[in-house]
Amino acid sequence: LTLTKMRGVALVLFLQICTVFSDCDVNVNDRQDCNQFSENDCVSAGCCWQEHTDDDSGKVPWCFYASSGGSGYSLDAGYVLSDSGLVGTLSSVNPSSTNLGDDIVSLALNISFGNVDSIRVLITDNDNSRWEIPEEIVPSSTSPTSVSSDDANLNLDFTENPFTFTISRKDDGTTVFSSSENLVFKDQYLELSTSLDSTSSLFGLGDITRTDGLKISPGTVSTMWARDMPALAFDLNLYGSHPMYMNLANDGSAHGAFLRSSNGMDVDYSSSGDALTFKVIGGVIDLFVFNGPSPSQVAAQYTDLIGRPSMMPYWSLGYHQCRYGYPNLQAVKDVKNNFTAFQLPLDIIWMDIDYMEAWKDWSYDGVNFPQDQVLDFVNQVHEDGQKFVIIVDPGILAVDPSWNLEYPPYTEGIDQDLFIKDGFNNQPYMSQVWPGPTHFPDFFHPNTSAYWSDSINTFYSDVAFDGLWT
């Protein structure tokens, strides 16, 4: 297992183990289904088991997630409500300490109208700074100034004690987000819930290959924890983390919400389909609610915030051939030749890490994939009107001094102090990936982009690839 895979498991274990010691005294109307059907399986999953025989509809789960111990917050007097939104202080109603940690007793609240079709809800520690996604990675606004509530297409309503907020459309009164009373905010555990129309459909919350298709089934828990997991692994967290959902009503109207957070989280869609809960292991609550009201408008409002997808090159729409496990360059040539022999379309051919020398970035295996022969092959690919894509992993072999190995990508990274640091010893973080001991370039470092770009240019001067797979 790679470190990222182990961490994905650790996140699930963390959330499950915590529930073992949390409060199982949950109102039957607030129970969130843990999707286990025997008491032993339920307890083993870290959930609560309480039979409920007075439920004629059969919708109250017997196996459910424990309460996180939070008792909600109240909005202090002195808050400011203006045309721009709501600013104030939230105080914990009954501060509690559980295995999940102590409640943070004082929170800063800022709700603003980002534009006419979106509202931002930012909740963070009033006294201490916390991790937030840097602006240059995912922007927190599409405009330097907020719009007036008079110009917005959304209404904001709230209650003071306990503090809740509701966002609705002005034109028809449809609720697009309605928070619950049980806001939880601890150092390493945050929880925010909203009610949903149980007759509507839910989409998003990837990157997950879902057994049931694009529509998310009630009772689903979607884990946001990006890791190296093949897409053929169904109903598991994969490469990307996208804590955004779109809710589609039966009349075709839609709204959405995006939690701007890079922290690991579970997003729990209740078994009755009438609620959704974000359970996050750190950071802040930075929620964006999108009005829609059409699905395409929700997508436009979301990408207006995070950035539009890059336009792909026209040739990339052709037929691709890609696989891992080529023993040598001749095997790649044979595949290409067989496409021609059987008159099959082939526009782009890829090479995975097989071509590397001992899986080191920016290298060629001198025996099985000699650089000069790869160059000849790629030239032929281009002469045949085809394109060539090659892989480079964002991990650099950490060279041990005893190896007497010259590896410039490593020495340059060390000399320029470009690798991600271990928080415990302030040394380059050591992981185990394909080449063995591995360091990762820190792309937040101001010099890393130049280091990586120079490596790409040098590599390209050896073999003129058309696309780089990272």
Side-chain angles (χ1 to χ4, degrees):
L1 287 176
T2 64
L3 182 62
T4 51
K5 288 179 181 176
M6 290 190 290
R7 283 179 170 171
V9 174
L11 172 65
V12 176
L13 292 177
F14 171 83
L15 293 177
Q16 289 182 345
I17 291 171
C18 286
T19 60
V20 175
F21 304 100
S22 299
D23 187 3
C24 288
D25 185 17
V26 179
N27 186 289
V28 293
N29 295 320
D30 296 328
R31 290 184 181 182
Q32 296 180 357
D33 199 342
C34 189
N35 295 303
Q36 302 296 329
F37 304 103
S38 72
E39 184 171 0
N40 286 338
D41 290 343
C42 181
V43 173
S44 297
C47 295
C48 299
W49 178 271
Q50 289 180 8
E51 296 184 9
H52 184 75
T53 57
D54 299 329
D55 174 32
D56 293 334
S57 63
K59 291 184 177 180
V60 175
W62 292 10
C63 182
F64 55 93
Y65 290 102
S67 167
S68 55
S71 53
Y73 287 79
S74 62
L75 179 62
D76 291 0
Y79 61 83
V80 177
L81 179 63
S82 68
D83 287 341
S84 299
L86 173 65
V87 177
T89 298
L90 300 177
S91 296
S92 180
V93 175
N94 291 304
S96 66
S97 179
T98 70
N99 64 299
L100 294 174
D102 300 332
D103 289 342
I104 294 178
V105 296
S106 181
L107 303 175
L109 169 71
N110 190 336
I111 302 180
S112 58
F113 293 85
N115 57 46
V116 295
D117 285 310
S118 72
I119 287 181
R120 181 189 187 190
V121 180
L122 178 62
I123 303 175
T124 187
D125 191 331
N126 216 6
D127 301 315
N128 300 287
S129 61
R130 296 178 63 81
W131 165 255
E132 299 184 43
I133 298 176
E135 287 283 335
E136 61 269 25
I137 303 302
V138 180
S140 62
S141 175
T142 58
S143 171
T145 58
S146 298
V147 301
S148 167
S149 59
D150 292 336
D151 299 325
N153 294 323
L154 294 168
N155 277 323
L156 170 65
D157 296 292
F158 62 93
T159 61
E160 296 178 25
N161 188 12
F163 172 71
T164 65
F165 64 91
T166 300
I167 298 170
S168 58
R169 293 196 183 108
K170 282 184 178 179
D171 58 358
D172 60 9
T174 298
T175 298
V176 296
F177 198 97
S178 182
S179 71
S180 73
E181 299 176 359
N182 192 33
L183 170 65
V184 180
F185 204 113
K186 302 175 186 289
D187 183 37
Q188 295 186 49
Y189 185 80
L190 286 60
E191 188 171 302
L192 175 69
S193 298
T194 181
S195 60
L196 296 172
D197 178 356
S198 61
T199 66
S200 63
S201 300
L202 194 70
F203 300 89
L205 300 175
D207 192 2
I208 297 172
T209 305
R210 301 189 188 277
T211 305
D212 296 337
L214 295 177
K215 181 179 175 179
I216 304 174
S217 299
T220 298
V221 177
S222 302
T223 296
M224 304 289 108
W225 187 266
R227 57 178 178 155
D228 186 4
M229 176 61 68
L232 283 175
F234 289 91
D235 301 317
L236 296 174
N237 45 307
L238 307 177
Y239 282 91
S241 179
H242 304 274
M244 182 271 180
Y245 69 83
M246 182 176 70
N247 194 250
L248 182 64
N250 288 332
D251 64 2
S253 64
H255 62 267
F258 165 56
L259 188 63
R260 183 175 172 269
S261 173
S262 61
N263 291 81
M265 70 181 80
D266 280 348
V267 187
D268 191 329
Y269 184 29
S270 69
S271 58
S272 54
D274 61 356
L276 183 138
T277 302
F278 292 97
K279 301 178 178 181
V280 194
I281 56 173
V284 302
I285 292 174
D286 195 359
L287 180 77
F288 290 81
V289 178
F290 305 113
N291 174 49
S294 70
S296 61
Q297 287 173 304
V298 172
Q301 290 153 15
Y302 174 50
T303 56
D304 185 46
L305 175 69
I306 68 169
R308 309 288 190 200
S310 298
M311 183 63 73
M312 63 190 70
Y314 180 74
W315 59 260
S316 69
L317 301 177
Y319 188 90
H320 296 247
Q321 198 287 325
C322 176
R323 59 158 293 185
Y324 165 74
Y326 287 121
N328 49 50
L329 180 59
Q330 186 58 51
V332 185
K333 292 179 179 180
D334 291 343
V335 168
K336 180 184 180 310
N337 293 336
N338 282 334
F339 270 85
T340 302
F342 289 96
Q343 298 182 326
L344 297 173
L346 178 62
D347 299 292
I348 306 99
I349 192 161
W350 298 47
M351 285 203 316
D352 208 324
I353 60 174
D354 312 297
Y355 76 89
M356 298 178 180
E357 179 186 46
W359 296 313
K360 301 196 306 290
D361 275 356
W362 320 116
S363 71
Y364 288 95
D365 182 334
V367 175
N368 297 309
F369 291 86
Q371 179 187 316
D372 59 340
Q373 295 182 28
V374 173
L375 175 60
D376 292 340
F377 170 71
V378 173
N379 288 339
Q380 185 62 54
V381 167
H382 289 155
E383 287 180 17
D384 294 339
Q386 298 164 327
K387 303 293 184 179
F388 176 71
V389 176
I390 197 166
I391 193 171
V392 173
D393 287 333
I396 301 298
L397 172 68
V399 178
D400 189 288
S402 65
W403 297 346
N404 294 319
L405 175 65
E406 291 292 330
Y407 186 44
Y410 169 75
T411 53
E412 291 172 14
I414 290 293
D415 291 344
Q416 299 182 57
D417 196 27
L418 300 180
F419 296 126
I420 291 174
K421 296 293 181 63
D422 188 316
F424 292 101
N425 58 25
N426 204 37
Q427 296 299 309
Y429 182 80
M430 184 70 74
S431 183
Q432 295 289 327
V433 197
W434 288 101
T438 301
H439 294 327
F440 299 108
D442 180 0
F443 287 96
F444 288 112
H445 192 291
N447 297 330
T448 300
S449 291
Y451 157 80
W452 201 250
S453 296
D454 290 344
S455 299
I456 292 174
N457 287 331
T458 300
F459 198 51
Y460 181 83
S461 67
D462 295 331
V463 174
F465 50 83
D466 300 286
L468 198 61
W469 173 18
T470 59

